[in-house]
Amino acid sequence: MTQLQFKDAFWCKEFTLHTGYEALVQRLLDGRKMCKDVEDLLKQRAQAEERYGKELIQIARKAGGQTEINTLKAAFERLKQQIESVGNSHIQLAVMLKDELKGIEEFRERQKEQRKKYESAMERMQKSKLSHYKKTMESKKTYEQKCKEADEAEQSFERTSASGNQKQTEKSQNKAKQCRDAANEAENVYKQNIEQLDKVRTEWEQEHTKTCQVFQLQECDRITILRNSLWVHCNQLSMQCVKDDELYEEVRLSLENCVVESDIDYFVKTKMTGTQPPDAIGYENYYSKEPNRNNSSPTQSCGMMKRFSGLLHGSSKHNSESATPSAPPLAEKPDGVYASIFENQQARITASQDYRVLYDYTAQNMDELDISEGDIVAVIEENEDGWWTAERNGQRGFVPGSYLEKL
């Protein structure tokens, strides 16, 4: 199929009008607006992808799940990891969209600079053509007026000659000759202006043809660039869907390994407290123990003192298995109600300050607080034994101070 050409279709029969050229310029301006519309679409889509990705990452990091065990916990952890991976991939998609947006902006500005150069040249040629046209039309009007005056003078000379008045005849003859000379001079000026106007017209036609060709190339490039950009955009979105599905498929595979019986057995084996119920409580006669009440042995008092002394020196609260592998070792925390009288250890009470959690920690006792990496907690007390009193979401308890970082 033969392609139609701008240079063959955008002329105007009226010499002083340029409607064809104006239609081309308007087409290019409309095309520039279309470029901006595509840029806005990509920009807003990139912003949406970036927000979505960041929200997914935030959701994954705050999802919790530390209280679960065994295979279901592994599957849930895999889901959190993949949600975070999906979030990162959407952020990467936003970066790709911004790069595509930048390319379109640069292309639009290059076309604008080229178009302005040819518009300036066409504006000069059109002004020159109109100026010469006006000058030519004025010389034509003068030429026609001089011709009429010469004709009238010659007719007057003929009438005077017929009357036989010699003096009047000579006067009419001189006037007719002067008018004819003026007409001839006006004709020469008119012809010169016509020649000059034709030269300017030729130059204008050449410039118009060249400008039409450049504008057509610009329009072809613009349509090609925008078509390819939208095509690439659709491909990127399709690839993102495939990538998301691949990541979630790993979660499905992890869920296939989640076995109910295995999780039940794991809980029983790790948390079992005994296989036998307690014995029945038997009756003890008060009076049968009366003699023993007055014989409280020093050994029993000594045992109580040893237990109290042991509490004063602190007891190990956690074994090596309860600490997060990548976290620093936990400090020993005084246990029980006797912790408050530890003679060399005092709590440093400060104003509530915010700290960021560096590592996950699962509470082992009722007086401790569950924390997750990335959480923000308020520290109420900083105990010198390494266990600090913290508060999060209205809950308060002990947490290892080495797991926190001050904001």
Side-chain angles (χ1 to χ4, degrees):
M1 179 179 176
T2 303
Q3 184 180 13
L4 298 177
Q5 300 294 317
F6 287 1
K7 64 183 181 66
D8 299 327
F10 290 95
W11 298 99
C12 182
K13 295 296 292 182
E14 181 63 37
F15 191 85
T16 58
L17 298 181
H18 309 100
T19 52
Y21 170 76
E22 292 169 356
L24 289 178
V25 171
Q26 186 60 47
R27 174 64 261 174
L28 266 61
L29 293 176
D30 292 342
R32 176 178 171 82
K33 184 179 183 305
M34 178 59 182
C35 286
K36 290 184 177 180
D37 292 341
V38 174
E39 292 168 19
D40 290 340
L41 184 146
L42 294 179
K43 181 179 180 180
Q44 294 179 26
R45 184 59 190 261
Q47 292 173 346
E49 292 290 342
E50 186 174 7
R51 286 196 304 270
Y52 178 59
K54 289 181 177 179
E55 289 178 359
L56 285 181
I57 293 174
Q58 188 176 15
I59 290 171
R61 291 179 177 178
K62 293 184 177 181
Q66 287 81 8
T67 58
E68 193 49 65
I69 59 174
N70 210 30
T71 59
L72 182 57
K73 181 176 182 179
F76 188 71
E77 291 297 323
R78 172 63 66 178
L79 174 61
K80 292 197 296 182
Q81 293 173 5
Q82 299 308 84
I83 289 177
E84 186 168 350
S85 298
V86 170
N88 287 325
S89 67
H90 279 273
I91 292 176
Q92 184 61 34
L93 174 60
V95 174
M96 296 169 61
L97 292 175
K98 290 178 181 177
D99 291 340
E100 187 70 22
L101 168 63
K102 184 178 179 181
I104 296 178
E105 289 177 344
E106 292 175 352
F107 168 76
R108 173 170 55 80
E109 290 304 314
R110 287 196 304 269
Q111 280 209 329
K112 177 183 176 181
E113 292 176 2
Q114 186 182 32
R115 188 185 75 249
K116 287 294 184 182
K117 181 174 67 175
Y118 281 90
E119 284 181 347
S120 297
M122 281 297 295
E123 184 178 357
R124 288 194 301 271
M125 292 303 302
Q126 289 171 356
K127 287 182 178 179
S128 177
K129 186 185 72 166
L130 292 177
S131 175
H132 281 81
Y133 174 79
K134 182 178 180 180
K135 183 178 179 181
T136 301
M137 292 300 101
E138 289 176 353
S139 64
K140 178 184 178 182
K141 184 177 180 181
T142 301
Y143 162 67
E144 292 175 347
Q145 182 64 33
K146 295 298 182 182
C147 287
K148 290 180 180 179
E149 293 176 356
D151 290 344
E152 291 176 356
E154 289 176 350
Q155 291 175 3
S156 175
F157 169 68
E158 291 177 357
R159 288 194 298 272
T160 305
S161 297
S163 65
N165 188 338
Q166 185 66 27
K167 185 176 180 181
Q168 190 67 27
T169 300
E170 290 179 0
K171 184 177 179 181
S172 296
Q173 184 179 8
N174 291 334
K175 183 179 179 181
K177 184 176 182 302
Q178 291 176 356
C179 289
R180 180 54 60 185
D181 291 340
N184 291 335
E185 184 178 355
E187 182 181 14
N188 291 332
V189 172
Y190 176 44
K191 288 180 178 180
Q192 291 176 359
N193 288 334
I194 286 291
E195 292 175 358
Q196 186 65 27
L197 178 61
D198 190 63
K199 181 180 178 181
V200 172
R201 181 192 61 81
T202 302
E203 293 175 354
W204 169 79
E205 287 183 359
Q206 293 174 352
E207 187 67 29
H208 179 83
T209 300
K210 183 169 64 174
T211 301
C212 287
Q213 292 172 337
V214 171
F215 283 3
Q216 184 161 358
L217 287 176
Q218 277 202 339
E219 189 66 2
C220 291
D221 290 343
R222 183 189 67 83
I223 295 173
T224 302
I225 289 292
L226 293 184
R227 181 195 62 181
N228 293 344
S229 177
L230 296 177
W231 196 300
V232 169
H233 178 61
C234 292
N235 288 344
Q236 289 172 336
L237 299 182
S238 297
M239 291 173 62
Q240 185 63 46
C241 292
V242 174
K243 187 182 298 183
D244 289 353
D245 187 67
E246 290 176 351
L247 293 173
Y248 290 130
E249 179 62 23
E250 295 187 20
V251 180
R252 288 190 285 268
L253 293 175
S254 179
L255 289 171
E256 289 178 359
N257 296 326
C258 179
V259 181
V260 177
E261 294 79 4
S262 176
D263 284 11
I264 296 296
D265 292 346
Y266 178 83
F267 171 71
V268 172
K269 291 177 181 178
T270 57
K271 300 295 182 180
M272 64 184 302
T273 59
T275 59
Q276 297 294 332
D279 294 335
I281 304 298
Y283 170 75
E284 296 181 6
N285 190 288
Y286 173 79
Y287 295 100
S288 64
K289 297 192 300 181
E290 185 69 22
N292 297 329
R293 295 172 56 198
N294 299 323
N295 297 324
S296 177
S297 64
T299 306
Q300 293 177 341
S301 299
C302 182
M304 289 295 292
M305 290 300 295
K306 287 182 178 179
R307 180 171 179 268
F308 184 74
S309 176
L311 288 173
L312 287 176
H313 286 81
S315 60
S316 176
K317 184 177 182 299
H318 303 287
N319 57 29
S320 60
E321 295 177 353
S322 65
T324 305
S326 61
L330 295 175
E332 294 183 351
K333 180 168 76 74
D335 204 2
V337 298
Y338 303 98
S340 61
I341 59 173
F342 186 21
E343 59 184 0
N344 293 322
Q345 190 169 305
Q346 295 180 347
R348 180 159 55 91
I349 301 176
T350 62
S352 175
Q353 298 186 22
D354 289 339
Y355 283 73
R356 178 184 289 107
V357 178
L358 300 177
Y359 313 99
D360 295 341
Y361 177 73
T362 303
Q364 305 295 319
N365 288 316
M366 296 295 293
D367 60 347
E368 296 177 2
L369 182 66
D370 286 334
I371 55 176
S372 302
E373 179 183 355
D375 286 349
I376 305 300
V377 299
V379 173
I380 309 302
E381 290 183 347
E382 298 181 4
N383 299 309
E384 293 181 356
D385 62 351
W387 291 88
W388 296 359
T389 302
E391 183 176 350
R392 178 176 63 82
N393 296 333
Q395 297 182 347
R396 181 177 297 187
F398 288 110
V399 297
S402 57
Y403 281 39
L404 306 180
E405 178 186 48
K406 190 172 182 181
L407 293 177

PDB file of all heavy atoms in Angstrom, residues 346-353 378-384 387-391 396-399 401 404:
ATOM      1  N   GLN A 346      20.285  -2.454  90.029  1.00  0.00           N
ATOM      2  CA  GLN A 346      19.203  -1.501  90.183  1.00  0.00           C
ATOM      3  C   GLN A 346      18.662  -1.127  88.822  1.00  0.00           C
ATOM      4  O   GLN A 346      19.402  -1.074  87.852  1.00  0.00           O
ATOM      5  CB  GLN A 346      19.680  -0.231  90.899  1.00  0.00           C
ATOM      6  CG  GLN A 346      20.123  -0.473  92.345  1.00  0.00           C
ATOM      7  CD  GLN A 346      20.571   0.796  92.992  1.00  0.00           C
ATOM      8  OE1 GLN A 346      20.777   1.794  92.323  1.00  0.00           O
ATOM      9  NE2 GLN A 346      20.715   0.758  94.313  1.00  0.00           N
ATOM     10  N   ALA A 347      17.358  -0.859  88.733  1.00  0.00           N
ATOM     11  CA  ALA A 347      16.732  -0.448  87.474  1.00  0.00           C
ATOM     12  C   ALA A 347      16.937   1.038  87.271  1.00  0.00           C
ATOM     13  O   ALA A 347      16.789   1.819  88.205  1.00  0.00           O
ATOM     14  CB  ALA A 347      15.246  -0.761  87.493  1.00  0.00           C
ATOM     15  N   ARG A 348      17.310   1.402  86.068  1.00  0.00           N
ATOM     16  CA  ARG A 348      17.469   2.809  85.720  1.00  0.00           C
ATOM     17  C   ARG A 348      16.193   3.278  85.038  1.00  0.00           C
ATOM     18  O   ARG A 348      15.932   2.928  83.901  1.00  0.00           O
ATOM     19  CB  ARG A 348      18.661   2.991  84.783  1.00  0.00           C
ATOM     20  CG  ARG A 348      18.899   4.431  84.381  1.00  0.00           C
ATOM     21  CD  ARG A 348      20.324   4.629  83.920  1.00  0.00           C
ATOM     22  NE  ARG A 348      20.652   3.698  82.860  1.00  0.00           N
ATOM     23  CZ  ARG A 348      20.498   3.971  81.564  1.00  0.00           C
ATOM     24  NH1 ARG A 348      20.016   5.135  81.212  1.00  0.00           N
ATOM     25  NH2 ARG A 348      20.847   3.095  80.648  1.00  0.00           N
ATOM     26  N   ILE A 349      15.373   3.998  85.778  1.00  0.00           N
ATOM     27  CA  ILE A 349      14.061   4.437  85.279  1.00  0.00           C
ATOM     28  C   ILE A 349      14.255   5.746  84.517  1.00  0.00           C
ATOM     29  O   ILE A 349      14.817   6.701  85.048  1.00  0.00           O
ATOM     30  CB  ILE A 349      13.065   4.617  86.425  1.00  0.00           C
ATOM     31  CG1 ILE A 349      12.906   3.292  87.193  1.00  0.00           C
ATOM     32  CG2 ILE A 349      11.731   5.098  85.897  1.00  0.00           C
ATOM     33  CD1 ILE A 349      12.009   3.391  88.398  1.00  0.00           C
ATOM     34  N   THR A 350      13.826   5.747  83.296  1.00  0.00           N
ATOM     35  CA  THR A 350      13.945   6.936  82.450  1.00  0.00           C
ATOM     36  C   THR A 350      12.605   7.255  81.838  1.00  0.00           C
ATOM     37  O   THR A 350      11.659   6.470  81.910  1.00  0.00           O
ATOM     38  CB  THR A 350      14.961   6.695  81.317  1.00  0.00           C
ATOM     39  OG1 THR A 350      14.488   5.624  80.504  1.00  0.00           O
ATOM     40  CG2 THR A 350      16.334   6.333  81.871  1.00  0.00           C
ATOM     41  N   ALA A 351      12.545   8.406  81.207  1.00  0.00           N
ATOM     42  CA  ALA A 351      11.330   8.748  80.456  1.00  0.00           C
ATOM     43  C   ALA A 351      11.178   7.774  79.290  1.00  0.00           C
ATOM     44  O   ALA A 351      12.156   7.278  78.740  1.00  0.00           O
ATOM     45  CB  ALA A 351      11.420  10.178  79.949  1.00  0.00           C
ATOM     46  N   SER A 352       9.944   7.504  78.950  1.00  0.00           N
ATOM     47  CA  SER A 352       9.684   6.537  77.872  1.00  0.00           C
ATOM     48  C   SER A 352      10.360   6.983  76.579  1.00  0.00           C
ATOM     49  O   SER A 352      10.200   8.124  76.151  1.00  0.00           O
ATOM     50  CB  SER A 352       8.180   6.416  77.659  1.00  0.00           C
ATOM     51  OG  SER A 352       7.914   5.582  76.560  1.00  0.00           O
ATOM     52  N   GLN A 353      11.138   6.066  75.971  1.00  0.00           N
ATOM     53  CA  GLN A 353      11.828   6.345  74.719  1.00  0.00           C
ATOM     54  C   GLN A 353      11.535   5.226  73.715  1.00  0.00           C
ATOM     55  O   GLN A 353      11.383   4.066  74.100  1.00  0.00           O
ATOM     56  CB  GLN A 353      13.347   6.451  74.935  1.00  0.00           C
ATOM     57  CG  GLN A 353      13.728   7.590  75.882  1.00  0.00           C
ATOM     58  CD  GLN A 353      15.243   7.753  75.966  1.00  0.00           C
ATOM     59  OE1 GLN A 353      15.951   7.331  75.068  1.00  0.00           O
ATOM     60  NE2 GLN A 353      15.714   8.363  77.037  1.00  0.00           N
ATOM     61  N   ALA A 378       8.340   1.096  73.206  1.00  0.00           N
ATOM     62  CA  ALA A 378       8.684   2.165  74.149  1.00  0.00           C
ATOM     63  C   ALA A 378       9.335   1.523  75.362  1.00  0.00           C
ATOM     64  O   ALA A 378       8.747   0.643  76.007  1.00  0.00           O
ATOM     65  CB  ALA A 378       7.438   2.945  74.547  1.00  0.00           C
ATOM     66  N   VAL A 379      10.556   1.937  75.684  1.00  0.00           N
ATOM     67  CA  VAL A 379      11.296   1.381  76.838  1.00  0.00           C
ATOM     68  C   VAL A 379      10.944   2.201  78.076  1.00  0.00           C
ATOM     69  O   VAL A 379      11.123   3.427  78.108  1.00  0.00           O
ATOM     70  CB  VAL A 379      12.812   1.395  76.554  1.00  0.00           C
ATOM     71  CG1 VAL A 379      13.573   0.979  77.813  1.00  0.00           C
ATOM     72  CG2 VAL A 379      13.137   0.466  75.399  1.00  0.00           C
ATOM     73  N   ILE A 380      10.470   1.503  79.108  1.00  0.00           N
ATOM     74  CA  ILE A 380      10.070   2.151  80.370  1.00  0.00           C
ATOM     75  C   ILE A 380      11.216   2.138  81.374  1.00  0.00           C
ATOM     76  O   ILE A 380      11.508   3.144  82.023  1.00  0.00           O
ATOM     77  CB  ILE A 380       8.840   1.450  80.966  1.00  0.00           C
ATOM     78  CG1 ILE A 380       7.739   1.334  79.881  1.00  0.00           C
ATOM     79  CG2 ILE A 380       8.327   2.236  82.170  1.00  0.00           C
ATOM     80  CD1 ILE A 380       7.312   2.639  79.306  1.00  0.00           C
ATOM     81  N   GLU A 381      11.887   0.982  81.495  1.00  0.00           N
ATOM     82  CA  GLU A 381      13.004   0.826  82.415  1.00  0.00           C
ATOM     83  C   GLU A 381      14.152   0.122  81.714  1.00  0.00           C
ATOM     84  O   GLU A 381      13.927  -0.805  80.925  1.00  0.00           O
ATOM     85  CB  GLU A 381      12.589   0.012  83.648  1.00  0.00           C
ATOM     86  CG  GLU A 381      11.624   0.711  84.594  1.00  0.00           C
ATOM     87  CD  GLU A 381      11.329  -0.147  85.815  1.00  0.00           C
ATOM     88  OE1 GLU A 381      11.669  -1.336  85.804  1.00  0.00           O
ATOM     89  OE2 GLU A 381      10.763   0.383  86.762  1.00  0.00           O
ATOM     90  N   GLU A 382      15.371   0.539  82.027  1.00  0.00           N
ATOM     91  CA  GLU A 382      16.563  -0.099  81.494  1.00  0.00           C
ATOM     92  C   GLU A 382      17.317  -0.730  82.667  1.00  0.00           C
ATOM     93  O   GLU A 382      18.066  -0.064  83.384  1.00  0.00           O
ATOM     94  CB  GLU A 382      17.446   0.918  80.775  1.00  0.00           C
ATOM     95  CG  GLU A 382      16.770   1.564  79.569  1.00  0.00           C
ATOM     96  CD  GLU A 382      17.685   2.542  78.877  1.00  0.00           C
ATOM     97  OE1 GLU A 382      18.857   2.652  79.289  1.00  0.00           O
ATOM     98  OE2 GLU A 382      17.216   3.213  77.921  1.00  0.00           O
ATOM     99  N   ASN A 383      17.104  -2.015  82.901  1.00  0.00           N
ATOM    100  CA  ASN A 383      17.743  -2.721  84.005  1.00  0.00           C
ATOM    101  C   ASN A 383      19.182  -3.059  83.645  1.00  0.00           C
ATOM    102  O   ASN A 383      19.492  -3.395  82.499  1.00  0.00           O
ATOM    103  CB  ASN A 383      16.977  -4.000  84.333  1.00  0.00           C
ATOM    104  CG  ASN A 383      15.556  -3.705  84.764  1.00  0.00           C
ATOM    105  OD1 ASN A 383      15.333  -2.878  85.638  1.00  0.00           O
ATOM    106  ND2 ASN A 383      14.578  -4.343  84.123  1.00  0.00           N
ATOM    107  N   GLU A 384      20.057  -3.001  84.629  1.00  0.00           N
ATOM    108  CA  GLU A 384      21.472  -3.251  84.388  1.00  0.00           C
ATOM    109  C   GLU A 384      21.763  -4.718  84.101  1.00  0.00           C
ATOM    110  O   GLU A 384      22.860  -5.061  83.624  1.00  0.00           O
ATOM    111  CB  GLU A 384      22.291  -2.783  85.611  1.00  0.00           C
ATOM    112  CG  GLU A 384      22.264  -1.269  85.813  1.00  0.00           C
ATOM    113  CD  GLU A 384      23.098  -0.824  86.994  1.00  0.00           C
ATOM    114  OE1 GLU A 384      23.632  -1.706  87.703  1.00  0.00           O
ATOM    115  OE2 GLU A 384      23.212   0.386  87.208  1.00  0.00           O
ATOM    116  N   TRP A 387      17.925  -6.945  80.906  1.00  0.00           N
ATOM    117  CA  TRP A 387      16.492  -7.147  80.603  1.00  0.00           C
ATOM    118  C   TRP A 387      15.752  -5.847  80.899  1.00  0.00           C
ATOM    119  O   TRP A 387      15.730  -5.386  82.037  1.00  0.00           O
ATOM    120  CB  TRP A 387      15.934  -8.296  81.451  1.00  0.00           C
ATOM    121  CG  TRP A 387      16.495  -9.620  81.031  1.00  0.00           C
ATOM    122  CD1 TRP A 387      17.619 -10.210  81.464  1.00  0.00           C
ATOM    123  CD2 TRP A 387      15.942 -10.463  80.035  1.00  0.00           C
ATOM    124  NE1 TRP A 387      17.829 -11.393  80.825  1.00  0.00           N
ATOM    125  CE2 TRP A 387      16.808 -11.584  79.919  1.00  0.00           C
ATOM    126  CE3 TRP A 387      14.812 -10.415  79.223  1.00  0.00           C
ATOM    127  CZ2 TRP A 387      16.568 -12.612  79.029  1.00  0.00           C
ATOM    128  CZ3 TRP A 387      14.576 -11.448  78.341  1.00  0.00           C
ATOM    129  CH2 TRP A 387      15.445 -12.534  78.257  1.00  0.00           C
ATOM    130  N   TRP A 388      15.165  -5.259  79.859  1.00  0.00           N
ATOM    131  CA  TRP A 388      14.507  -3.971  79.972  1.00  0.00           C
ATOM    132  C   TRP A 388      12.997  -4.136  79.956  1.00  0.00           C
ATOM    133  O   TRP A 388      12.466  -5.051  79.292  1.00  0.00           O
ATOM    134  CB  TRP A 388      14.928  -3.058  78.812  1.00  0.00           C
ATOM    135  CG  TRP A 388      16.386  -2.705  78.814  1.00  0.00           C
ATOM    136  CD1 TRP A 388      17.331  -3.084  79.712  1.00  0.00           C
ATOM    137  CD2 TRP A 388      17.058  -1.932  77.830  1.00  0.00           C
ATOM    138  NE1 TRP A 388      18.551  -2.595  79.384  1.00  0.00           N
ATOM    139  CE2 TRP A 388      18.418  -1.869  78.208  1.00  0.00           C
ATOM    140  CE3 TRP A 388      16.664  -1.260  76.685  1.00  0.00           C
ATOM    141  CZ2 TRP A 388      19.366  -1.195  77.483  1.00  0.00           C
ATOM    142  CZ3 TRP A 388      17.602  -0.572  75.958  1.00  0.00           C
ATOM    143  CH2 TRP A 388      18.962  -0.546  76.363  1.00  0.00           C
ATOM    144  N   THR A 389      12.328  -3.217  80.595  1.00  0.00           N
ATOM    145  CA  THR A 389      10.862  -3.220  80.581  1.00  0.00           C
ATOM    146  C   THR A 389      10.410  -2.366  79.388  1.00  0.00           C
ATOM    147  O   THR A 389      10.750  -1.194  79.291  1.00  0.00           O
ATOM    148  CB  THR A 389      10.300  -2.640  81.877  1.00  0.00           C
ATOM    149  OG1 THR A 389      10.789  -3.411  82.975  1.00  0.00           O
ATOM    150  CG2 THR A 389       8.770  -2.681  81.862  1.00  0.00           C
ATOM    151  N   ALA A 390       9.649  -2.999  78.489  1.00  0.00           N
ATOM    152  CA  ALA A 390       9.199  -2.320  77.264  1.00  0.00           C
ATOM    153  C   ALA A 390       7.696  -2.443  77.131  1.00  0.00           C
ATOM    154  O   ALA A 390       7.064  -3.332  77.718  1.00  0.00           O
ATOM    155  CB  ALA A 390       9.892  -2.903  76.050  1.00  0.00           C
ATOM    156  N   GLU A 391       7.119  -1.537  76.315  1.00  0.00           N
ATOM    157  CA  GLU A 391       5.674  -1.539  76.094  1.00  0.00           C
ATOM    158  C   GLU A 391       5.398  -1.432  74.599  1.00  0.00           C
ATOM    159  O   GLU A 391       6.037  -0.639  73.905  1.00  0.00           O
ATOM    160  CB  GLU A 391       5.017  -0.372  76.824  1.00  0.00           C
ATOM    161  CG  GLU A 391       3.486  -0.362  76.678  1.00  0.00           C
ATOM    162  CD  GLU A 391       2.844   0.743  77.493  1.00  0.00           C
ATOM    163  OE1 GLU A 391       3.566   1.370  78.320  1.00  0.00           O
ATOM    164  OE2 GLU A 391       1.648   0.983  77.339  1.00  0.00           O
ATOM    165  N   ARG A 396       2.937  -4.750  78.217  1.00  0.00           N
ATOM    166  CA  ARG A 396       4.222  -4.426  78.832  1.00  0.00           C
ATOM    167  C   ARG A 396       4.882  -5.709  79.327  1.00  0.00           C
ATOM    168  O   ARG A 396       4.213  -6.636  79.804  1.00  0.00           O
ATOM    169  CB  ARG A 396       4.011  -3.440  79.970  1.00  0.00           C
ATOM    170  CG  ARG A 396       5.297  -3.004  80.669  1.00  0.00           C
ATOM    171  CD  ARG A 396       5.022  -1.979  81.744  1.00  0.00           C
ATOM    172  NE  ARG A 396       4.461  -0.732  81.202  1.00  0.00           N
ATOM    173  CZ  ARG A 396       4.260   0.367  81.914  1.00  0.00           C
ATOM    174  NH1 ARG A 396       4.577   0.368  83.211  1.00  0.00           N
ATOM    175  NH2 ARG A 396       3.750   1.447  81.355  1.00  0.00           N
ATOM    176  N   GLY A 397       6.209  -5.782  79.231  1.00  0.00           N
ATOM    177  CA  GLY A 397       6.939  -6.953  79.703  1.00  0.00           C
ATOM    178  C   GLY A 397       8.420  -6.782  79.480  1.00  0.00           C
ATOM    179  O   GLY A 397       8.888  -5.786  78.920  1.00  0.00           O
ATOM    180  N   PHE A 398       9.195  -7.796  79.943  1.00  0.00           N
ATOM    181  CA  PHE A 398      10.646  -7.765  79.798  1.00  0.00           C
ATOM    182  C   PHE A 398      11.049  -8.164  78.379  1.00  0.00           C
ATOM    183  O   PHE A 398      10.445  -9.065  77.791  1.00  0.00           O
ATOM    184  CB  PHE A 398      11.309  -8.723  80.792  1.00  0.00           C
ATOM    185  CG  PHE A 398      11.252  -8.240  82.227  1.00  0.00           C
ATOM    186  CD1 PHE A 398      10.445  -8.873  83.163  1.00  0.00           C
ATOM    187  CD2 PHE A 398      12.003  -7.146  82.630  1.00  0.00           C
ATOM    188  CE1 PHE A 398      10.395  -8.432  84.463  1.00  0.00           C
ATOM    189  CE2 PHE A 398      11.951  -6.701  83.941  1.00  0.00           C
ATOM    190  CZ  PHE A 398      11.143  -7.335  84.868  1.00  0.00           C
ATOM    191  N   VAL A 399      12.078  -7.493  77.857  1.00  0.00           N
ATOM    192  CA  VAL A 399      12.686  -7.858  76.575  1.00  0.00           C
ATOM    193  C   VAL A 399      14.202  -7.712  76.729  1.00  0.00           C
ATOM    194  O   VAL A 399      14.675  -6.918  77.551  1.00  0.00           O
ATOM    195  CB  VAL A 399      12.208  -6.955  75.419  1.00  0.00           C
ATOM    196  CG1 VAL A 399      10.727  -7.103  75.208  1.00  0.00           C
ATOM    197  CG2 VAL A 399      12.553  -5.500  75.674  1.00  0.00           C
ATOM    198  N   GLY A 401      17.628  -6.177  76.221  1.00  0.00           N
ATOM    199  CA  GLY A 401      18.040  -4.850  75.781  1.00  0.00           C
ATOM    200  C   GLY A 401      18.963  -4.880  74.570  1.00  0.00           C
ATOM    201  O   GLY A 401      18.971  -3.954  73.760  1.00  0.00           O
ATOM    202  N   LEU A 404      17.542  -4.324  70.950  1.00  0.00           N
ATOM    203  CA  LEU A 404      16.915  -3.054  70.601  1.00  0.00           C
ATOM    204  C   LEU A 404      17.936  -2.042  70.141  1.00  0.00           C
ATOM    205  O   LEU A 404      19.123  -2.098  70.516  1.00  0.00           O
ATOM    206  CB  LEU A 404      16.166  -2.485  71.840  1.00  0.00           C
ATOM    207  CG  LEU A 404      15.131  -3.400  72.516  1.00  0.00           C
ATOM    208  CD1 LEU A 404      14.498  -2.683  73.691  1.00  0.00           C
ATOM    209  CD2 LEU A 404      14.062  -3.840  71.511  1.00  0.00           C
TER     210      LEU A 404
END
